[in-house]
Amino acid sequence: MTDTRYQSSRDLLAQAGHLLVEQRRQLPEVMLEELAELPNESVPSLAALAHEVRLAWSGPAVDIEGILSVKTGGCAEDCHFCSQSSHFDTNVKATPFLDADEVLAAAEETARLGAAGFCIVLALRGPDERTIDRILELVPVIQERFGLNVNVSAGILTPAQAARFAAGGVHRYNHNLETARSFFPHVVTTHSWQERFDTCRLVVEHGMQLCCGVLLGIGESIEQRIELLSQLRELDPDEVPVNFLNPRPGTPLGERPVVSPLEALRWIALFRLALPRVILRYAGGREIALGELQALGLTAGINALIIGNYLTTLGRSPDEDLGMLADLEMPIGALGEAF
Amino acid sequence: MTFCVVCGTDLAGREVCCEQPAYDPARYCPKCGRWLVVRIAPTGHVEHCPEHGRLEPS
């Protein structure tokens, strides 16, 4: 790397820092494109800036959430990365809606870990009325018994369904864009990116917080990641979970390579710089993408994490994550408004 | 173990079949090869065989 190039990287980072930290303004898309092209040697500096931005906009607290798949597999959609799709021959066995006791036990475990939230997740295109009834029976019990914000992920919504969830006390509704509009048809054909975007809009319109996640490493280009950032900015979600592809046997993406640690850190930092006020949550695939470097994500813009296991795969032990936060001297705390 | 916990194939005397992906629970019963019902919660997971019941943690 030449001195000139090094100087230009430093200048670019200084400009970005001035806009984000001193002026508290968002970066223009063209600057995000330039930051995405920084050489690998500059990723630690990019991460340091992202950490500074996170502290300036959100403080040092880390938000913890537990998630539970209450209805697993058998999904009619063909998301090419998902082992719960009925279109693919995977080794995940479909199971019906869990008993209320099982859900409450999982919520109680989550609360004991110091989590602020608990997310009820269902593998389906969208909920029917009976499914909404069952979810909404659980929401107030979990809130009152365990003091958790209850979040829900139940697929594509109609306006009436969004209104029901909002009225029923759902704190935050999760609906992922996953990837850029231009790439989405390559990985999902049974519904459109626009349907996902519209559901996200409905969530906000009905007064729930929006959790809108992404999945990196499914074949999208750098330009499409920048496009995705722009589309997320349009939605202005409260939370963005960052998932890295964990290639699932039997799915069309089952043989894809895993995102490298340095690439993962670069994009965590870029998501923070593009979305300075958002709750940026470590989600699925972090264990395999970052391995021993997971603590670095928390000094590169991450300020929230899913603790413990995921929907169909396992995570690190909660003790490892809680130990990591203690080592980093980052306090656990709820981000976003409480219920 | 007689059956592969990843694909359910009879090991037929072999010690291994598929490599179990990291952070994956068993999907098939090691005793009979039946598909397991897997319940994953934030702090634990349980695999249940319709023939042999709950699998002991390995």
Side-chain angles (χ1 to χ4, degrees):
Chain A
M1 187 176 180
T2 64
D3 288 346
T4 308
R5 195 172 161 208
Y6 180 63
Q7 188 58 46
S8 69
S9 295
R10 288 187 9 160
D11 288 348
L12 178 60
L13 288 164
Q15 281 177 40
H18 180 71
L19 282 172
L20 282 163
V21 179
E22 291 168 40
Q23 297 195 341
R24 291 184 75 87
R25 290 169 52 195
Q26 286 213 335
L27 298 184
E29 190 171 317
V30 65
M31 191 176 277
L32 290 172
E33 290 169 359
E34 292 178 70
L35 290 165
E37 296 295 338
L38 283 176
N40 282 346
E41 304 92 287
S42 296
V43 168
S45 301
L46 188 71
L49 175 60
H51 186 54
E52 188 181 354
V53 169
R54 168 259 180 121
L55 292 175
W57 286 68
S58 304
V62 177
D63 184 290
I64 293 177
E65 178 188 47
I67 63 173
L68 180 71
S69 176
V70 303
K71 184 263 169 196
T72 302
C75 181
E77 303 307 291
D78 74 344
C79 307
H80 289 22
F81 43 82
C82 183
S83 61
Q84 299 193 66
S85 170
S86 60
H87 291 254
F88 315 125
D89 184 18
T90 74
N91 60 12
V92 172
K93 186 174 176 62
T95 54
F97 205 110
L98 297 182
D99 293 338
D101 286 349
E102 292 177 273
V103 180
L104 295 177
E108 185 172 18
E109 291 169 10
T110 300
R112 279 201 197 116
L113 297 171
F118 179 72
C119 191
I120 295 170
V121 185
L122 296 90
L124 37 70
R125 176 186 174 87
D128 58 23
E129 294 309 298
R130 175 69 188 127
T131 299
I132 296 176
D133 290 344
R134 295 184 75 169
I135 295 169
L136 292 182
E137 284 166 11
L138 291 162
V139 169
V141 180
I142 295 170
Q143 283 176 346
E144 289 160 19
R145 201 176 287 180
F146 308 119
L148 291 165
N149 289 315
V150 185
N151 309 321
V152 171
S153 181
I156 294 168
L157 299 179
T158 65
Q161 290 171 334
R164 282 200 69 195
F165 278 128
V170 172
H171 173 65
R172 194 175 290 152
Y173 192 86
N174 164 260
H175 199 58
N176 292 350
L177 284 183
E178 308 290 14
T179 194
R181 180 179 199 135
S182 67
F183 189 68
F184 192 86
H186 295 276
V187 290
V188 182
T189 68
T190 48
H191 60 271
S192 69
W193 185 93
Q194 188 63 47
E195 286 175 279
R196 289 196 179 217
F197 192 85
D198 290 346
T199 288
C200 290
R201 277 271 165 82
L202 281 176
V203 169
V204 175
E205 285 169 16
H206 286 83
M208 290 181 283
Q209 290 199 2
L210 173 63
C211 170
C212 183
V214 300
L215 175 58
L216 303 181
I218 57 177
E220 76 284 4
S221 66
I222 288 172
E223 291 75 18
Q224 285 164 327
R225 288 181 187 168
I226 297 290
E227 178 195 337
L228 172 60
L229 284 171
S230 171
Q231 289 155 349
L232 282 169
R233 283 172 152 192
E234 197 178 336
L235 283 173
D236 192 23
D238 297 279
E239 174 183 333
V240 173
V242 179
N243 297 277
F244 299 102
L245 180 70
N246 179 355
R248 298 286 76 209
T251 65
L253 301 186
E255 300 297 325
R256 275 204 62 79
V258 174
V259 172
S260 74
L262 201 61
E263 187 185 3
L265 289 172
R266 175 193 292 272
W267 284 94
I268 286 168
L270 283 164
F271 270 74
R272 170 55 66 201
L273 298 182
L275 303 161
R277 76 159 195 95
V278 84
I279 298 168
L280 194 64
R281 191 179 300 279
Y282 252 157
R286 65 175 159 113
E287 290 85 357
I288 61 162
L290 283 154
E292 298 300 313
L293 301 185
Q294 287 176 68
L296 293 184
L298 284 146
T299 56
I302 291 286
N303 65 342
L305 55 84
I306 291 173
I307 196 153
N309 297 324
Y310 299 103
L311 304 177
T312 64
T313 59
L314 310 178
R316 299 210 297 184
S317 78
D319 285 347
E320 283 180 277
D321 277 342
L322 295 175
M324 174 175 72
L325 296 180
D327 289 346
L328 290 165
E329 300 186 19
M330 290 183 181
I332 296 168
L335 296 171
E337 295 167 23
F339 62 83
Chain B
M1 190 160 75
T2 312
F3 292 84
C4 175
V5 298
V6 179
C7 70
T9 301
D10 188 340
L11 292 176
R14 291 173 294 162
E15 286 196 8
V16 292
C17 177
C18 307
E19 184 179 349
Q20 187 161 5
Y23 299 101
D24 249 21
R27 302 291 181 183
Y28 294 89
C29 178
K31 295 176 182 168
C32 66
R34 284 186 173 82
W35 214 358
L36 297 168
V37 174
V38 180
R39 295 263 200 266
I40 298 177
T43 60
H45 60 102
V46 174
E47 296 97 1
H48 191 273
C49 172
E51 177 67 21
H52 294 99
R54 181 175 172 169
L55 261 64
E56 293 301 317
S58 54

